[in-house]
Structure formats: structure tokens, C-alpha cells
């Protein structure tokens, strides 16, 4: 049973297109995250949602819009894709206790390639 | 500002050697958490350990051990008797306690470990 799942696993698309990545967790966690890993393997947080509410929004272009229909799902929609958006996008979740100590569990990643 | 430095970009060892991956962090917070994650060639991120800033006891889990030294702001990771399956990129991460109470992981740049037979 996959704890944090993402679809699709691979996404190849043309510049200018709009695409979505979906994330679901079955751990009963109430906080979910999106991270971006660039070609040099550097991992950086993009967004975080707690109980469907946005709590972290790092400096990310407006073309990226997260949506959380419920606390088990956090989707990422990207408009007008650019070459620089090519990366691996990881979803993660944690049970937030408001103490900063919770462990984040990551999904398998979505490898996005923009041509 | 929060920062994690993993100065070793890549380490190559031969199977059965011991290897230590260094992690140095910067934070002004008194309460924070430190993590290690493993990213094998298959690409997923696997949680290895979490340590809070008030617990400086070293931890051992099988062939893995961690040395947390607050005085030097370091949280080093040692693999004893390395195996080929240990080949991966290892990330150290810092989670400061944000004023909202929520967490944000700040990752180091990772150390690629290559273990050859």
C-alpha cells in the first residue's frame, strides 16, 4: 500500500502547455507539501497546506497553483510551462502537531520534462 | 537564516569500508529538528532519522550511526561496513520551528555515495 502517491510518474510536454500533477496520501496526515528538485539535485520547498489551507508559499511564480480539495490530496497545476520548470516534483505529507518536529514522508516524485 | 551545508559532493568507497557523511547547519533557533534522507538511484526519498536540538545523544541503527554535536552545529552520518546497496544521494535537512508552529524542511545539497564491490 503506497503511503504517498503521485501521478503521473513521468510527464513530457511542450513549452506553453498547462499540466497538473496529483498527490494523494493515505497516512491520515493533515499537512502536505510540494518540493522541487532541480537537475543538480537541490531540493526546495514550494508550498505547504494544512487541512486544505495554504501555510507556506515560497517564492514561486504565479504560474504554479496548488489546490487541496481535501486534506488527503494536494494537486499542483502549472500554467504556461517553461523550459526551466523541468525538474522532479515531490509531494510529501506529515502529521502536524504544531511543534515542527513531524517527519515528512515523500512520494515517488514526478519527473517533468518541458521541451 | 537557515542553512545546511554538505561539503562533500561525492564520496567513493569500496565495499566494507566505513564512511562518514558530514552535515553542518546554521540556525538562530533554539528549537529545531535535523533529518537525514536517502535518495537511491530509483529516485524516491527515504526517511532515515530525525533528531531534536535538545537531544545530543548519538544514535545507532544497524550499520548506521549519527553524531549530533550542537557545539559545532554538525549532524554527521556514518555507515559502517558499507554495501553496494548504500549507493545513493544522502540529504541532511533542518526544520526550524516557524512562528506559525508549522514545519519547513531546508535541505543540504546532498552527498552522492558510490560504493563499489
Amino acid at each position: 500500500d503506497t503511503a504517498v502517491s503521485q501521478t503521473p510518474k513521468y510527464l513530457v510536454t511542450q513549452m506553453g502547455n498547462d499540466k497538473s500533477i496529483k498527490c494523494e496520501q493515505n497516512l491520515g496526515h493533515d499537512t502536505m507539501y510540494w518540493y522541487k528538485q532541480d537537475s543538480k539535485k537541490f531540493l526546495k520547498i514550494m508550498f505547504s497546506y494544512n487541512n486544505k489551507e495554504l501555510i507556506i508559499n515560497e517564492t514561486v511564480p504565479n504560474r504554479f497553483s496548488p489546490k487541496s480539495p481535501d486534506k488527503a490530496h494536494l494537486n499542483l497545476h502549472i500554467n504556461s510551462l517553461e523550459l526551466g520548470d523541468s525538474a522532479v516534483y515531490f509531494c510529501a505529507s506529515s502529521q502536524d502537531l504544531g511543534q515542527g518536529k513531524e517527519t515528512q514522508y515523500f512520494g515517488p516524485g514526478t519527473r517533468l520534462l518541458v521541451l | 537564516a537557515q542553512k545546511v551545508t554538505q561539503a562533500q559532493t561525492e564520496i567513493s568507497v569500496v565495499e566494507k569500508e566505513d564512511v562518514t557523511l558530514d552535515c553542518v547547519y546554521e540556525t538562530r533557533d533554539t528549537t529545531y529538528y535535523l533529518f537525514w534522507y536517502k535518495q537511491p538511484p530509483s529516485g524516491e526519498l527515504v526517511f532515515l532519522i530525525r533528531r531534536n536540538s535538545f537531544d545530543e545523544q548519538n544514535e545507532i541503527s544497524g550499520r548506521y550511526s549519527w553524531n549530533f554535536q550542537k557545539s559545532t552545529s554538525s549532524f554527521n552520518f556514518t555507515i559502517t561496513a558499507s554495501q553496494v546497496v548504500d549507493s545513493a544521494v544522502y540529504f541532511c535537512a533542518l526544520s526550524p520551528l516557524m512562528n506559525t508552529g508549522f514545519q519547513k524542511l531546508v535541505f543540504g545539497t546532498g552527498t552522492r555515495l558510490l560504493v563499489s564491490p
Side-chain angles (χ1 to χ4, degrees), chain A residues 72-109:
Chain A
H73 296 84
L74 180 62
N75 304 323
L76 183 64
H77 188 76
I78 315 171
N79 289 326
S80 303
L81 278 155
E82 300 178 357
L83 293 177
D85 297 332
S86 296
V88 181
Y89 292 85
F90 284 98
C91 177
S93 73
S94 68
Q95 182 57 45
D96 192 84
L97 303 174
Q99 299 170 18
K101 67 177 181 180
E102 299 74 23
T103 296
Q104 292 184 26
Y105 293 93
F106 285 78

Side-chain angles (χ1 to χ4, degrees), chain A residues 6 8 16 43 50 57 63 69 87-88:
Chain A
Q6 295 178 229
L43 272 158
N50 174 262
N57 185 348
R63 300 181 295 102
V88 181

Side-chain angles (χ1 to χ4, degrees), chain B residues 11 15 88:
Chain B
I11 301 175
E15 223 174 4

Side-chain angles (χ1 to χ4, degrees), chain B residues 2-117:
Chain B
Q2 325 286 346
K3 187 179 176 183
V4 176
T5 301
Q6 294 180 256
Q8 304 151 307
T9 306
E10 185 169 307
I11 301 175
S12 292
V13 298
V14 176
E15 223 174 4
K16 297 185 184 174
E17 283 185 26
D18 299 346
V19 58
T20 296
L21 310 181
D22 297 334
C23 172
V24 174
Y25 62 92
E26 295 175 32
T27 179
R28 291 181 183 168
D29 296 328
T30 53
T31 302
Y32 52 88
Y33 292 82
L34 296 163
F35 299 79
W36 276 94
Y37 283 85
K38 173 182 179 180
Q39 188 173 38
S42 49
E44 71 273 23
L45 281 161
V46 179
F47 164 72
L48 294 178
I49 189 172
R50 180 186 77 212
R51 173 66 75 210
N52 76 55
S53 53
F54 298 107
D55 182 1
E56 289 192 69
Q57 280 194 340
N58 291 335
E59 180 151 343
I60 298 175
S61 175
R63 297 183 297 106
Y64 294 171
S65 62
W66 291 268
N67 184 323
F68 175 33
Q69 293 201 343
K70 213 166 174 178
S71 59
T72 56
S73 297
S74 65
F75 186 41
N76 297 337
F77 173 30
T78 297
I79 301 174
T80 304
S82 59
Q83 299 176 2
V84 173
V85 292
D86 295 327
S87 296
V89 179
Y90 291 87
F91 291 95
C92 181
L94 166 70
S95 172
L97 181 59
M98 297 166 60
N99 54 14
T100 58
F102 292 106
Q103 181 193 71
K104 179 175 87 169
L105 281 178
V106 176
F107 282 90
T109 49
T111 296
R112 182 182 299 275
L113 174 65
L114 298 170
V115 183
S116 53

Side-chain angles (χ1 to χ4, degrees), chain A residues 10 12 18 20-22 25-27 30-31 37 39 44 49 51 57 62 75 79-80 91 98 110:
Chain A
Y10 299 97
V12 181
D18 303 339
S20 292
I21 306 172
K22 296 187 176 182
Q25 53 94 4
N26 62 7
L27 296 167
D30 55 11
T31 306
Q37 185 174 42
S39 58
K44 192 169 191 301
Y49 271 73
N51 281 320
N57 185 348
N62 291 339
N75 304 323
N79 289 326
S80 303
C91 177
T110 294

Side-chain angles (χ1 to χ4, degrees), chain A residues 27-44:
Chain A
L27 296 167
H29 290 165
D30 55 11
T31 306
M32 296 183 72
Y33 312 79
W34 278 110
Y35 287 83
K36 179 181 180 180
Q37 185 174 42
D38 63 22
S39 58
K40 296 184 179 178
K41 295 281 191 181
F42 184 60
L43 272 158
K44 192 169 191 301

